[in-house]
Amino acid sequence: LPISGDRILYYSSKGAEMNYTDFKSILETCVDKYGFTCFRKNHYFQSGDLLIVINTKKSGYDNSYYVNYGFCAKAIHPDLKYPRIAECDIIGRFSNTASDKADLFQISEFDPNELRNCFDFNMQNIIMPVIEGGISRYFEIFPHAIHSAKRTLKEYLNVSAV
């Protein structure tokens, strides 16, 4: 693989440096296998009492992206079918488990398999437990997230941010 400075550039199957299209394709393949569907650049999943949305957000500084997710309680939003991230009751970002960059994905520094593993890790350890256990499960995984939850969700769950 070519080396540019101190970083390795990973190339797509077409021979060019991995780009957003490659990144998005890997994410789409990953979330699709968990039952998500794509609508207007977002990926959605509807469970019994939840709507889940996953999307990407470009960093304003370089060719990096965030993978955002949000959960909406259907009881609070009975008419909402395709929520935007901002409409969700609680939001978060996929962790970059392959780097020290927390939740930022510098796509040119990823091997496609490494990226798939990272997305799968987040799906298996955050998204699927919430789908299977309900929105309260999210606060078991991330106890401090209750401080970021919208007031309506806290009231619905009958909890307060302590």
Side-chain angles (χ1 to χ4, degrees):
L1 295 172
I3 298 178
S4 172
D6 291 328
R7 66 186 182 111
I8 297 175
L9 302 177
Y10 290 97
Y11 288 79
S12 72
S13 59
K14 298 176 186 79
E17 185 176 327
M18 187 187 294
N19 59 32
Y20 177 66
T21 302
D22 300 321
F23 178 82
K24 186 174 66 170
S25 175
I26 292 168
L27 177 64
E28 188 168 316
T29 300
C30 178
V31 300
D32 283 357
K33 75 180 180 182
Y34 290 95
F36 280 71
T37 57
C38 187
F39 181 75
R40 294 188 180 160
K41 300 183 182 183
N42 293 313
H43 303 277
Y44 293 95
F45 185 92
Q46 294 193 31
S47 72
D49 58 350
L50 283 176
L51 290 169
I52 300 104
V53 60
I54 296 175
N55 72 11
T56 58
K57 171 87 171 124
K58 183 165 183 358
S59 166
Y61 300 103
D62 57 15
N63 195 25
S64 298
Y65 292 85
Y66 299 97
V67 178
N68 301 314
Y69 59 82
F71 300 103
C72 288
K74 287 182 180 179
I76 298 171
H77 310 281
D79 298 325
L80 198 56
K81 187 170 181 174
Y82 296 108
R84 296 183 323 265
I85 287 288
E87 295 173 301
C88 292
D89 299 307
I90 185 72
I91 60 174
R93 286 186 167 156
F94 274 22
S95 298
N96 180 343
T97 58
S99 165
D100 62 352
K101 295 182 179 166
D103 57 4
L104 186 65
F105 294 87
Q106 176 74 34
I107 61 175
S108 63
E109 295 178 1
F110 271 92
D111 170 89
N113 289 326
E114 189 177 50
L115 196 57
R116 278 184 206 86
N117 291 340
C118 197
F119 291 157
D120 273 330
F121 175 86
N122 283 276
M123 291 298 294
Q124 292 170 8
N125 291 285
I126 300 170
I127 306 300
M128 294 311 295
V130 174
I131 288 172
E132 294 163 2
I135 192 70
S136 295
R137 179 73 178 109
Y138 186 75
F139 301 112
E140 293 170 12
I141 299 168
F142 300 107
H144 294 321
I146 195 67
H147 299 290
S148 301
K150 289 188 177 177
R151 179 185 48 79
T152 51
L153 180 62
K154 292 176 196 175
E155 290 171 354
Y156 171 72
L157 296 172
N158 199 24
V159 297
S160 62
V162 180

